């Protein structure tokens, strides 16, 4: 019944322009924004009314959101297809708070690994981690793919410039074709380079291919010296025996667990590059921000709950208004990697068409997530947002303060002014997208049609007091919980990713065809057979 009421309400709203909603309610912002700690969420530029949220909350109640939140935080196997709990939230539980699953103290295990990380970080920062020839490590290369690359890289790049606490340089390599690693190896010194091999299963082809290349590079440069792997490799995995088999000694192994999904793993030892970039104090501040968001999500009323509100508004746009794309638009170059991170978080989690009951879903699920740094995107794809034929919802993200007070010197005034320019553009673009011509001062009816702005593109704005480890931790956890809430409403499992598996299996079989001494096109389609023929001839 709640869905029917929501869809009927959508019919009433489809003819209404966001500009008219503002014109009819001078207090609209006051009613349609919410704050948690350093985050302010303004959703007044969404095409909805306060009663829309009442209907959405009823949909959430009928979908069993309260029950599923209890299951998530109670350690139930919410990942039903793999019969696993999803306990990424346990990675940020304080040490003095008990966290037990099936009689096992997982909290103690988490904090044991954090202490192991801290020992590694201190040793590297102090110049005491040395290569096999005795020189101090100056460069660290993280080799991973998916969640083992996107999360650590996004956070490290976002925070290192202002909160960095490391004498070493961080690099990331993920592509299976070796192009990233090949470029890095031309510039690095093998005597002073440390590699982190991050793979939950430690069987990921992309990661192990890059790891093997790195090992061969070291052996060609330094010889097969005793202690080479001990001095130049750290492993992070849920399968210690696989790390040992590859050659990584026990003291260089960090542990994650089956109940940590790859795209939810930056809070674990997978986040070692973050800890190397920020120091452990910075990493723990990141965890605190996420932990406080966990508590807000669990206990705040839904109408004041940032993750729940974001999720419900997304459901409204997708299922009621037919808006099937979401652009993530950070107005801060430090968040350059955030859109790519959220693409994986949302589309790998909720890009599903089969429900928890094993039947095809009856409603659209995850939208297409895309985006870019706002000031650059204004010169790229904003033309489509403003005057194209596609409806796109937008998340604008910007910190209010860019430079801390000690940076307010004469030499920094220009950079402060540039940040103010970014803030102005963020507010102007969201206003124009939502209100269209009504955002322009004075009459615009005399403008030619190709210069008009229709507006009515739904926008939310997330203001951060400032970008810090704590605020970024809260921001990322907010999006994690948003994804979970939407999965509950759509009746899907957000914690598996079977859609990525079959392609890898077919790739293994195809690789054998490429390397075979004789052509064999049996069992494949004519297109692939033709392409294989061209590849072999070349």
């Amino acid at each position: 019944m709640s869905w029917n009421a929501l869809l009927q309400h959508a019919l009433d709203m489809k003819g209404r322009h966001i500009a008219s909603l503002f014109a009819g309610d001078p207090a609209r912002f006051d009613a349609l924004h919410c704050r948690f700690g350093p985050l302010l969420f303004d959703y007044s530029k969404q095409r909805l009314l306060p009663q829309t949220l009442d209907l959405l909350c009823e949909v959430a109640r009928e979908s069993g959101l309260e029950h599923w939140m209890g299951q998530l935080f109670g350690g139930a196997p919410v990942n039903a297809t793999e019969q696993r709990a999803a306990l990424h939230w346990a990675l940020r539980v304080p040490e003095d708070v008990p966290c037990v699953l099936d009689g096992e103290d997982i909290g103690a295990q988490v904090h044991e690994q954090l202490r192991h990380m801290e020992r590694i970080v201190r040793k590297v920062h102090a110049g005491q981690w040395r290569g096999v020839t005795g020189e101090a490590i100056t460069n660290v290369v993280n080799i991973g793919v998916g969640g083992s690359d996107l999360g650590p890289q996004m956070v490290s790049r976002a925070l290192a410039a202002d909160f960095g606490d490391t004498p070493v340089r961080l690099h990331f390599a993920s592509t299976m074709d070796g192009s990233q690693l090949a470029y890095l190896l031309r510039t690095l010194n093998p005597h002073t380079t440390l590699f982190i091999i991050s793979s939950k299963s430690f069987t990921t082809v992309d990661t192990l291919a890059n790891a093997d290349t790195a090992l061969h590079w070291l052996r060609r440069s330094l010889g097969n010296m005793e202690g080479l792997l001990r001095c130049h490799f750290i492993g992070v995995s849920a399968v210690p025996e696989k790390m040992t088999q590859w050659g990584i000694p026990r003291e260089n192994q960090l542990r994650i667990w089956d109940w940590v999904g790859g795209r939810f793993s930056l809070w674990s030892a997978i986040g070692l590059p973050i800890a190397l970039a920020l120091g452990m104090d910075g990493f723990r501040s990141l965890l605190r921000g996420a932990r406080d968001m966990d508590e807000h999500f669990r206990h705040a009323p839904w109408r004041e709950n940032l993750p729940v509100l974001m999720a419900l508004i997304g459901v409204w746009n997708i299922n009621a208004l037919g808006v099937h794309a979401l652009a993530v638009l950070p107005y801060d170059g430090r968040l350059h990697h955030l859109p790519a991170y959220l693409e994986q978080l949302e589309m790998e989690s909720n890009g599903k068409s089969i429900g928890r009951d094993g039947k095809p879903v009856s409603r659209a699920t995850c939208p297409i997530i895309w985006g870019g740094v706002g000031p650059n995107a204004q010169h790229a794809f904003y033309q489509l947002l403003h005057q194209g034929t596609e409806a796109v919802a937008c998340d604008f993200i910007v910190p209010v303060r860019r430079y801390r007070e000690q940076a307010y010197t004469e030499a920094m005034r220009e950079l402060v002014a540039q940040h103010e320019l970014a803030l102005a553009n963020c507010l102007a673009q969201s206003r124009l997208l939502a209100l269209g011509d009504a955002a322009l001062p004075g009459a615009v009816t005399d403008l030619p049609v190709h210069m008009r702005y229709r507006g009515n593109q739904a926008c939310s704005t997330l203001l951060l007091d400032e970008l810090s480890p704590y605020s970024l931790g809260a921001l990322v956890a907010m999006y994690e919980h948003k994804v979970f809430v939407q999965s509950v409403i759509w009746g899907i499992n957000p914690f598996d990713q079977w859609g990525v598996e079959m392609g890898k299996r077919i790739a293994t079989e195809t690789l054998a065809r490429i390397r075979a001494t004789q052509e064999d096109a049996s069992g494949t389609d004519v297109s692939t057979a033709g392409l294989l023929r061209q590849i072999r001839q070349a």
Side-chain angles (χ1 to χ4, degrees):
M1 291 296 293
S2 58
W3 272 107
N4 292 337
L6 185 71
L7 296 178
Q8 181 58 53
H9 176 61
L11 292 175
D12 298 334
M13 290 296 297
K14 280 186 176 179
R16 303 189 67 175
H17 197 287
I18 296 171
S20 71
L21 302 180
F22 276 94
D25 183 5
R28 184 171 172 81
F29 172 79
D30 294 334
L32 299 178
H33 84 274
C34 186
R35 174 178 275 280
F36 163 77
L39 307 182
L40 184 147
F41 178 50
D42 168 29
Y43 55 98
S44 61
K45 295 187 184 76
Q46 293 287 339
R47 190 150 40 116
L48 51 74
L49 296 169
Q51 54 261 45
T52 312
L53 295 174
D54 295 333
L55 293 168
L56 287 164
C57 286
E58 189 57 34
V59 166
R61 271 188 286 272
E62 288 191 8
S63 301
L65 177 58
E66 187 172 1
H67 164 77
W68 281 104
M69 289 173 66
Q71 293 289 98
L72 175 70
F73 289 102
V78 290
N79 181 355
T81 61
E82 297 174 301
Q83 281 300 298
R84 291 176 183 165
L87 298 178
H88 47 281
W89 54 268
L91 297 167
R92 44 236 195 189
V93 170
E95 192 166 10
D96 59 353
V97 175
C99 190
V100 178
L101 176 67
D102 296 332
E104 189 175 8
D105 190 348
I106 61 173
Q109 297 174 20
V110 167
H111 286 278
E112 178 185 0
Q113 292 304 306
L114 286 173
R115 286 189 289 272
H116 191 178
M117 287 174 64
E118 187 159 18
R119 290 191 292 270
I120 291 172
V121 169
R122 286 182 174 177
K123 192 173 180 180
V124 172
H125 284 190
Q128 295 172 352
W129 191 297
R130 296 182 178 272
V132 72
T133 57
E135 298 182 48
I137 293 299
T138 59
N139 288 271
V140 177
V141 180
N142 186 78
I143 295 178
V145 71
S148 298
D149 170 76
L150 291 168
Q153 183 166 198
M154 182 272 290
V155 176
S156 300
R157 301 299 192 211
L159 299 174
D162 291 308
F163 299 91
D165 183 24
T166 177
V168 300
R169 296 182 62 195
L170 283 172
H171 313 273
F172 294 85
S174 60
T175 57
M176 70 166 62
D177 66 356
S179 56
Q180 292 171 322
L181 193 60
Y183 172 79
L184 284 173
L185 297 185
R186 287 198 297 269
T187 65
L188 296 176
N189 180 351
H191 297 265
T192 60
T193 300
L194 174 67
F195 295 93
I196 303 170
I197 314 301
S198 291
S199 171
K200 181 176 177 180
S201 65
F202 223 77
T203 59
T204 307
V205 172
D206 321 45
T207 300
L208 293 184
N210 277 323
D212 288 340
T213 297
L215 179 57
H216 292 317
W217 175 72
L218 287 170
R219 284 176 171 164
R220 283 194 303 271
S221 304
L222 305 177
N224 195 17
M225 298 178 66
E226 183 179 352
L228 185 73
L229 283 103
R230 174 177 52 80
C231 294
H232 292 275
F233 287 94
I234 292 171
V236 186
S237 176
V239 191
E241 55 270 24
K242 292 285 186 182
M243 291 189 281
T244 302
Q245 183 180 344
W246 195 84
I248 297 174
R250 290 282 183 179
E251 63 268 24
N252 288 19
Q253 296 178 12
L254 286 163
R255 176 87 187 275
I256 57 174
W257 302 270
D258 283 341
W259 41 261
V260 181
R263 55 193 174 277
F264 301 92
S265 65
L266 67 86
W267 322 100
S268 71
I270 293 291
L272 178 60
I274 302 171
L276 286 168
L278 307 181
M280 283 303 292
D281 286 346
F283 188 73
R284 292 182 189 279
S285 181
L286 183 83
L287 297 180
R288 282 195 297 275
R291 168 63 175 177
D292 287 350
M293 181 57 72
D294 294 339
E295 292 301 294
H296 169 74
F297 174 54
R298 294 181 70 176
H299 302 299
W302 291 353
R303 289 290 295 268
E304 303 168 17
N305 192 310
L306 267 66
V308 172
L309 285 170
M310 286 189 77
L312 295 180
I313 290 166
V315 167
W316 168 249
N317 284 329
I318 296 159
N319 299 118
L321 300 183
V323 180
H324 298 291
L326 173 65
V328 179
L329 306 168
Y331 271 73
D332 191 312
R334 295 172 295 173
L335 293 172
H336 173 77
H337 294 278
L338 181 63
Y341 173 79
L342 293 177
E343 286 169 14
Q344 188 207 22
L345 176 64
E346 297 216 21
M347 291 196 286
E348 193 167 82
S349 295
N350 284 346
K352 312 286 173 62
S353 58
I354 300 297
R356 288 184 179 274
D357 58 3
K359 299 176 182 178
V361 297
S362 59
R363 298 182 179 90
T365 57
C366 186
I368 297 169
I369 311 291
W370 59 300
V373 176
N376 297 341
Q378 290 176 191
H379 301 277
F381 56 76
Y382 273 40
Q383 172 64 41
L384 180 144
L385 297 181
H386 284 298
Q387 294 184 322
T389 59
E390 295 298 321
V392 180
C394 300
D395 281 356
F396 288 85
I397 304 169
V398 65
V400 176
R401 295 190 302 272
R402 170 62 179 92
Y403 298 99
R404 288 169 283 179
E405 287 186 9
Q406 58 265 37
Y408 276 70
T409 63
E410 189 66 34
M412 301 297 286
R413 289 187 188 278
E414 293 84 0
L415 291 176
V416 174
Q418 284 188 257
H419 177 61
E420 292 170 346
L421 182 62
L423 279 167
N425 274 269
C426 178
L427 300 186
Q429 292 289 345
S430 63
R431 179 184 177 195
L432 186 58
L433 280 168
L435 305 183
D437 288 343
L440 304 173
V444 295
T445 55
D446 57 340
L447 288 176
V449 66
H450 65 275
M451 295 177 65
R452 301 289 296 274
Y453 291 83
R454 70 176 184 277
N456 221 28
Q457 294 276 53
C459 308
S460 295
T461 302
L462 276 158
L463 289 183
L464 285 66
D465 288 347
E466 96 177 301
L467 181 61
S468 67
Y470 181 88
S471 66
L472 186 57
L475 179 75
V476 173
M478 177 182 65
Y479 273 99
E480 287 181 347
H481 295 315
K482 167 206 166 183
V483 166
F484 176 70
V485 172
Q486 290 183 331
S487 77
V488 169
I489 293 174
W490 292 324
I492 56 178
N493 176 8
F495 300 116
D496 62 10
Q497 56 280 332
W498 295 104
V500 307
E501 298 301 324
M502 188 57 70
K504 293 188 287 188
R505 288 175 56 185
I506 296 175
T508 301
E509 183 259 347
T510 306
L511 179 63
R513 293 177 185 270
I514 291 173
R515 293 176 173 173
T517 56
Q518 294 183 339
E519 182 174 334
D520 177 15
S522 61
T524 190
D525 61 275
V526 293
S527 172
T528 302
L531 294 170
L532 283 168
R533 190 179 310 115
Q534 294 299 315
I535 290 168
R536 291 171 60 84
Q537 289 173 0

